[in-house]
C-alpha cells in the first residue's frame, strides 16, 4: 500500500529472525529490493537482488518463482537507470522462458514492456503492447492504468489520460499503492497544464507533493 517504512521494517525482521530459512531470507531480500527501488536507492536494490539470487530456493506453491520476481524487479532497476536495452532484454527472456503458460505474468510483462517502449521513445510499440492489456484483467491494475495515461499524454490526448488514471485517484484500481496515486496525480498535473487549466494543475501538483512527503 505504499508504506515503505513498514515494508522495510517487516522485511528486516524476517531476515534477522533466528528461525528464517533460505526461502524466507530470499523473499525478505526481494521485498527489501522493491522498497529500495521505490526509494530510488538503486545500488542497494541491485545488492539485495544479487543476494536473493544466491539463495537456494525452489518454487513456492501458488507463487511465481523467486527468479521471476527478481528479474522483474531488476528490469525496473535497469529502467530507472535509463538502461532500456538491458530492461527489455530481461523482459524478452522472461517471455521466452516463463510467460508462455502464465497469462498473469504475460500481462505484467506487457505493461512493463510498454513502459520501456515509452521511455525509449517508441510510442508505436508502446501503443501495441498496452492495447493488449485492455483485453485482460491486468488493465484495471494501477500500473496498467498509469502506463495508459502516460501513453495518452505522449499522444496529446490529455482528456483520455485523465480518464485512464481516474481509477488510481478514486481507489478503484487494483493493486494500488501510495506511489501509484502520486504518479496519477502527476499525470493529472501535466494533462491539466497542457489543457491550459493551470490552477487545477497546481492543485494536483500540491496534492502529489503532500502525499510524497
Amino acid at each position: 500500500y505504499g508504506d515503505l517504512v513498514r515494508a522495510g521494517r517487516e522485511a528486516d525482521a524476517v531476515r534477522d529472525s533466528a528461525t528464517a530459512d533460505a526461502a524466507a531470507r530470499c523473499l525478505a531480500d526481494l521485498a527489501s529490493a522493491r522498497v529500495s527501488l521505490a526509494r530510488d536507492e538503486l545500488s542497494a536494490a541491485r545488492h539485495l537482488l544479487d543476494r536473493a539470487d544466491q539463495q537456494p530456493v525452489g518454487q513456492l506453491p501458488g507463487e511465481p518463482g523467486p527468479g521471476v520476481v527478481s528479474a522483474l524487479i531488476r528490469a525496473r532497476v535497469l529502467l530507472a537507470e535509463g538502461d532500456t536495452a538491458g530492461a527489455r532484454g530481461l523482459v524478452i527472456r522472461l517471455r521466452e522462458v516463463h510467460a508462455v503458460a502464465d497469462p498473469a505474468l504475460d500481462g505484467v510483462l506487457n505493461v512493463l514492456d510498454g513502459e520501456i517502449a515509452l521511455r525509449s521513445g517508441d510510442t508505436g510499440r508502446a501503443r501495441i503492447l498496452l492495447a493488449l492489456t485492455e483485453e485482460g484483467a491486468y488493465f484495471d491494475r494501477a500500473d496498467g492504468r498509469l502506463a495508459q495515461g502516460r501513453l495518452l499524454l505522449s499522444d496529446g490526448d490529455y482528456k483520455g489520460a485523465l480518464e485512464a488514471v481516474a481509477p488510481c485517484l478514486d481507489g478503484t484500481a487494483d493493486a494500488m499503492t501510495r506511489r501509484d496515486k502520486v504518479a496519477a496525480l502527476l499525470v493529472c498535473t501535466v494533462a491539466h497544464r497542457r489543457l491550459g487549466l493551470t490552477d487545477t494543475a497546481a492543485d494536483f501538483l500540491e496534492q502529489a507533493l503532500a502525499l510524497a512527503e
Side-chain angles (χ1 to χ4, degrees), residues 53-207:
D53 289 345
Q54 294 171 7
Q55 298 286 350
V57 180
Q59 180 70 41
L60 301 175
E63 299 290 339
V68 172
V69 177
S70 177
L72 286 170
I73 299 172
R74 196 178 294 276
R76 289 201 171 275
V77 170
L78 290 169
L79 185 58
E81 292 174 332
D83 185 358
T84 54
R88 181 137 197 278
L90 281 176
V91 169
I92 291 172
R93 195 175 314 149
L94 285 169
R95 282 193 190 282
E96 292 175 347
V97 178
H98 299 284
V100 176
D102 190 340
L105 177 59
D106 190 56
V108 171
L109 293 175
N110 283 336
V111 172
L112 177 54
D113 207 359
E115 291 182 38
I116 294 168
L118 270 177
R119 189 73 62 87
S120 58
D122 190 349
T123 55
R125 176 174 174 77
R127 192 174 297 108
I128 292 170
L129 287 162
L130 295 177
L132 295 175
T133 67
E134 296 180 6
E135 301 173 2
Y138 206 85
F139 179 69
D140 288 323
R141 286 178 56 101
D143 49 0
R145 286 284 184 172
L146 287 168
Q148 290 283 352
R150 290 171 181 140
L151 174 62
L152 291 166
L153 275 183
S154 70
D155 284 343
D157 184 356
Y158 308 126
K159 291 183 179 179
L162 293 172
E163 183 179 342
V165 302
C168 298
L169 300 180
D170 63 23
T172 58
D174 296 335
M176 183 76 186
T177 68
R178 185 182 307 167
R179 190 182 188 198
D180 293 328
K181 187 168 184 178
V182 171
L185 289 167
L186 293 175
V187 169
C188 291
T189 299
V190 175
H192 281 101
R193 279 188 63 84
R194 299 288 170 80
L195 290 168
L197 303 173
T198 54
D199 289 343
T200 305
D203 288 341
F204 276 108
L205 180 58
E206 184 177 351
Q207 292 178 56

